Amino acid sequence: MEGNILSIRDKITKVLIDKKLLTENDIKKAVELQKNKGGKLSDIFVGMGLVSRSDLTLALSEELGIPPIDLSRYTISQELVKLIPKKTAKNYRVMPVSAVGKLLTLATADPLNVFAIDDISTLTGYKISVVIADENDINHAIAENYEAGATEAIEKIIGGMEPQDIRMVEEADRDSLSSTDLIKLTQDAPVVKVTNMVLAEGVRRRASDILIEPLENALRIRYRIDGILQEAERPPKRIHQALVSRIKVMSDLNIAERRLPQDGRFKLKIHHSEVDFRVSIIPSSTGEKVALRILDKSQAMLNLDKLGFEEKTLADIKAVSKRPHGMILSCGPTGCGKTTTLYSILKFVDSPEKNIITAEDPVEYQLEGINQLTVQPEMGLTFSSSLRSFLRQDPDIIMVGEIRDFETVDIAIKAALTGHLVLSTLHTTTASGSIIRLVNMGVEPFLITSSLILVVAQRLVRRICLNCREEYKITDETARKLKLKAGVKRVAYHGKGCKECRSTGYRGRVGLAETLVLSPKIRELVMKKAQEYEIKAASRREGMTTLRENGIEKALRGETTLEEILRVTVGDQEINMQDKG
C-alpha cells in the first residue's frame, strides 16, 4: 500500500479484517507463503483454512458493489449454454445465467477481467451484466451443463463407427490378429476419445481408482471416490476390447496377451497437471478387467501437519522421526494412507545433510532430493535385495515400501540396529497387532524391542461436506454406548447432500491414527511374548488413543460422521446407530 491508494486486493483484505475473518498476522503468513510458493493470495487464504470461498465472494461483492449469486440454485437452459463455447467458458471461468432482450447476465469469479467481458460481448452480440459467483460453483456448472453424461457422450462418439470396428473377437480370431492390426484398432479417434473421457472424468471427480469391468451383457465403469466405489453410466459392451487395448498401448503392455495378468503405468497431463496412472489388468470369465490407480500430484498432501492427525499423534511421530536410528512402521489395510504418511515423514526429516534412499513398488511420487528405486521382482530386484544394496550406499534413512517376508524384515531390523532410521509398512489392523505379526513372521522378541521405536496404525474416513453439514442430537442410548462423559455436548453431524458433494454428504477424507510408542513397559511385555490385547491395554494406560476413540472425537467435532467411524473402525463393543431414520 502506498499513500492512500489501495489496490483491489488490499481493499478486499481490509473487508475481511473488518469482518474479523482475517488478522494482520494471518495476512503476513499468507503473503510469506505466496513469496515462497507463488499462486493467488485468495487461494492461499482458502488453502490455509483462514476463510472460505464464499467469504471471499461476499467480500469482493461488497467492495465492488456487484451482486453475488448462488449458481447451485439456478437451472441453466441449453439455449443459454449454446451462447458461449465451452472452451471460452472454461478459460474465463464464466457461466451465462439469463438473457433478457440484448442483455446477458454473466456469472464470473473475476469481475475485473474486462478483456473477458469484452470478448464475450463481441462473441455473443449481447451487452454484459456481471454477477459474482464462487469459482468452484462455476466449475461445477460448466461440468454439468457443457459435459454430457458418459453414455450419451460415448454413444455420440461411437455412433458413426461400424459394428465390426469394435466387435468382440472370438477366441479363435484373437490369436490370428497381428500386433499391427491391434495397434491400428487402438489408434482410431473414437477409441482415443472414449479412453480420454473415462480417465479425465476420474481425475475431475477426485477418484483414487478407476475400475473397468466387463459383465455378461454390459460394461461397468466405477470410480472410487473418498474410499467408496461409485458407478458411472454404463457404456456399450461392444467398446470393451478397444478400450482395454488402448490402455495397454498407453501402458506399453502386450496387447495380444489376454490370458495372463499384466501391470504397467503411464502419465498424462490433464487440466494442466501431471497425473500418473498405475495399471493392473487381469483376465476374468467375461473378459479383461482393468484397475487404474490415479496418482494426481496436484492432490498430494505430503505434510504431516495436514494429514488430520491429533496433536499427540503428531508429537509422537515427530519425536521419533528425529532419532538417529530405529524402525518406524505404518500399518493398516490397502489404501489407508500408509505410504502418504511415510512420504510426509521423509519430507519432515529431509535435509541436505542426510542421505535418504527408498525402495518402492512402484514409486508413487517423486520427492526432490531423495533417491527412489522401484523394485522389479521379475528381474531379481526385490525389497530384500534392494536393502542389501542400500547398506553399501552410506544411507542415513531408508524407506522400504512394504515388509512382506522374513528376509526383508530381517535386513530392515539389522539396518535399524546398525545406526539407520528405517521406515516401512505392514498389513495389520492395529498398532499392537503389528508386534504380534512380526513375532509370527519369525522375528525374535529381543530384536523387536531393540529396533522398533514406533508403530502408527491408520485409516482414512470421509469428511462431512461443509456446504451441507448439519447437526443432530445424539440419543441417550448412543451416548451411553459411546461412553461419553457427563456434560459433553451431545450432538453429532451429518451431510444433508448437495451439488458440491454429489448428494453424498461427504467431500474429501481425513486420517485417523493410533500410535504405539515402544516404552520400557511395552518392551517388557514384548519380551514376555504377551498377547495383543495385553499390549493394547498397557499402551492405553500410557495414553494411546485407539482408532475408534480418535474417530469419535472427530465425529463430535463435526469432521466426519459416527456412521463413517463405525464403518471403518472396530471397537471393543460395537455400537448400533439408531439416531436417524
Side-chain angles (χ1 to χ4, degrees):
M1 284 183 272
E2 295 182 9
N4 294 321
I5 301 175
L6 296 177
S7 67
I8 290 295
R9 188 190 79 174
D10 293 330
K11 288 180 180 179
I12 294 169
T13 303
K14 185 176 183 301
V15 171
L16 293 171
I17 292 174
D18 292 342
K19 290 179 176 292
K20 299 188 185 316
L21 294 172
L22 285 179
T23 66
E24 294 286 354
N25 192 42
D26 291 334
I27 295 169
K28 287 179 182 177
K29 288 180 181 177
V31 169
E32 188 64 32
L33 195 60
Q34 186 186 41
K35 287 178 182 176
N36 294 333
K37 296 188 176 180
K40 294 168 60 178
L41 195 60
S42 58
D43 291 340
I44 293 172
F45 285 151
V46 175
M48 292 174 67
L50 301 174
V51 295
S52 65
R53 293 248 175 227
S54 59
D55 291 333
L56 288 170
T57 301
L58 290 174
L60 188 62
S61 170
E62 184 175 318
E63 180 55 40
L64 298 177
I66 299 173
I69 188 173
D70 184 358
L71 278 179
S72 64
R73 299 177 182 273
Y74 281 76
T75 301
I76 299 169
S77 69
Q78 282 301 304
E79 287 72 22
L80 277 174
V81 172
K82 291 175 183 175
L83 289 174
I84 302 175
K86 174 182 171 182
K87 187 175 181 181
T88 303
K90 291 184 79 170
N91 284 344
Y92 290 139
R93 293 172 296 162
V94 298
M95 194 70 206
V97 177
S98 67
V100 179
K102 295 302 289 182
L103 181 66
L104 177 66
T105 301
L106 194 68
T108 175
D110 186 7
L112 300 177
N113 189 343
V114 293
F115 298 103
I117 295 169
D118 288 344
D119 193 8
I120 293 170
S121 179
T122 303
L123 181 70
T124 61
Y126 282 79
K127 290 184 178 179
I128 305 298
S129 173
V130 175
V131 291
I132 299 176
D134 182 270
E135 186 174 333
N136 288 339
D137 287 348
I138 290 176
N139 290 336
H140 280 299
I142 291 171
E144 287 183 3
N145 291 282
Y146 281 93
E147 298 175 14
T151 299
E152 179 185 345
I154 291 174
E155 288 286 5
K156 185 176 179 182
I157 290 171
I158 67 174
M161 297 175 66
E162 295 296 327
Q164 60 268 25
D165 288 344
I166 51 173
R167 67 186 175 87
M168 294 297 293
V169 183
E170 297 299 325
E171 201 65 43
D173 292 333
R174 288 177 180 175
D175 294 333
S176 64
L177 282 174
S178 68
S179 296
T180 304
D181 293 332
L182 286 167
I183 291 172
K184 186 177 179 181
L185 173 68
T186 64
Q187 291 174 339
D188 287 343
V191 174
V192 174
K193 288 181 180 178
V194 170
T195 307
N196 290 345
M197 180 186 296
V198 171
L199 300 177
E201 182 68 7
V203 174
R204 190 178 73 82
R205 292 195 187 190
R206 301 177 299 104
S208 60
D209 302 87
I210 304 173
L211 302 183
I212 302 171
E213 305 163 304
L215 306 180
E216 191 66 38
N217 299 305
L219 177 60
R220 181 169 67 179
I221 296 178
R222 294 189 288 174
Y223 298 100
R224 189 176 294 280
I225 302 169
D226 296 333
I228 302 296
L229 283 171
Q230 298 179 16
E231 185 171 351
E233 295 289 336
R234 293 187 176 184
K237 173 70 179 286
R238 65 183 188 271
I239 73 167
H240 169 250
Q241 192 56 59
L243 186 59
V244 174
S245 296
R246 174 62 185 167
I247 291 172
K248 285 183 179 180
V249 168
M250 296 170 73
S251 309
D252 198 22
L253 299 177
N254 183 354
I255 59 176
E257 178 56 73
R258 295 183 179 86
R259 288 168 290 190
L260 293 173
Q262 295 190 73
D263 296 317
R265 66 187 305 162
F266 60 89
K267 182 183 293 185
L268 293 178
K269 194 165 187 178
I270 300 177
H271 304 316
H272 307 293
S273 65
E274 284 191 356
V275 183
D276 284 333
F277 293 85
R278 275 169 36 192
V279 181
S280 173
I281 302 176
I282 61 170
S284 72
S285 58
T286 53
E288 290 178 291
K289 175 184 173 181
V290 181
L292 299 107
R293 169 64 59 90
I294 302 175
L295 303 171
D296 188 349
K297 295 179 181 178
S298 66
Q299 300 293 326
M301 185 72 74
L302 306 181
N303 186 325
L304 276 176
D305 295 315
K306 295 184 179 180
L307 296 182
F309 294 158
E310 304 298 318
E311 286 186 16
K312 183 184 182 305
T313 300
L314 275 176
D316 287 342
I317 295 173
K318 289 180 177 180
V320 299
S321 298
K322 293 177 181 178
R323 295 189 187 181
H325 56 81
M327 185 161 70
I328 299 173
L329 290 179
S330 176
C331 65
T334 301
C336 71
K338 299 187 297 294
T339 304
T340 298
T341 297
L342 294 188
Y343 276 159
S344 300
I345 293 174
L346 291 181
K347 292 283 284 184
F348 174 71
V349 300
D350 184 28
S351 71
E353 296 80 26
K354 292 180 180 176
N355 180 14
I356 303 176
I357 310 178
T358 75
E360 305 170 55
D361 184 19
V363 172
E364 294 193 6
Y365 296 105
Q366 293 287 345
L367 303 178
E368 188 177 352
I370 293 175
N371 308 286
Q372 296 172 269
L373 177 147
T374 297
V375 299
Q376 301 181 60
E378 67 279 1
M379 298 175 60
L381 185 60
T382 62
F383 283 126
S384 55
S385 63
S386 299
L387 264 174
R388 287 195 190 92
S389 299
F390 286 177
L391 295 176
R392 294 191 287 270
Q393 289 284 320
D394 186 33
D396 297 296
I397 301 171
I398 299 171
M399 186 185 104
V400 185
E402 183 184 343
I403 289 178
R404 298 174 179 171
D405 50 46
F406 174 75
E407 188 179 10
T408 304
V409 72
D410 183 52
I411 302 170
I413 285 177
K414 288 175 181 175
L417 291 172
T418 53
H420 306 89
L421 184 65
V422 179
L423 284 65
S424 191
T425 68
L426 198 62
H427 282 279
T428 59
T429 55
T430 64
S432 50
S434 296
I435 295 175
I436 306 303
R437 170 72 175 136
L438 292 175
V439 172
N440 291 338
M441 290 176 73
V443 181
E444 292 292 340
F446 76 90
L447 289 175
I448 296 174
T449 59
S450 301
S451 60
L452 190 62
I453 54 177
L454 177 73
V455 182
V456 182
Q458 62 186 84
R459 300 289 188 278
L460 288 175
V461 293
R462 292 179 290 173
R463 284 185 185 272
I464 299 176
C465 174
L466 296 179
N467 192 54
C468 61
R469 181 177 68 178
E470 59 183 20
E471 68 176 44
Y472 66 93
K473 187 177 179 181
I474 300 175
T475 64
D476 292 339
E477 176 68 11
T478 300
R480 182 182 62 80
K481 290 178 178 178
L482 290 172
K483 300 180 181 178
L484 296 182
K485 296 178 182 177
V488 172
K489 186 182 178 183
R490 294 189 174 184
V491 296
Y493 303 81
H494 72 144
K496 186 170 56 176
C498 63
K499 282 187 177 182
E500 190 79 14
C501 61
R502 295 179 175 269
S503 300
T504 63
Y506 298 96
R507 183 172 173 80
R509 289 195 286 179
V510 64
L512 306 180
E514 62 181 32
T515 51
L516 190 159
V517 179
L518 271 287
S519 65
K521 178 61 178 175
I522 301 301
R523 294 179 195 278
E524 183 182 330
L525 288 173
V526 174
M527 288 299 294
K528 291 179 179 178
K529 295 188 177 181
Q531 296 297 311
E532 179 180 343
Y533 74 89
E534 295 176 289
I535 297 173
K536 179 180 178 182
S539 299
R540 293 186 68 182
R541 286 193 294 270
E542 293 186 350
M544 182 183 82
T545 301
T546 66
L547 289 166
R548 171 64 63 86
E549 291 166 342
N550 183 206
I552 290 173
E553 288 176 9
K554 280 183 163 58
L556 296 179
R557 289 203 300 261
E559 294 181 41
T560 186
T561 64
L562 289 172
E563 292 87 347
E564 183 71 0
I565 298 305
L566 299 176
R567 179 183 71 84
V568 172
T569 67
V570 176
D572 296 329
Q573 294 180 341
E574 287 299 326
I575 304 165
N576 296 316
M577 294 297 298
Q578 297 179 342
D579 286 289
K580 301 195 300 295

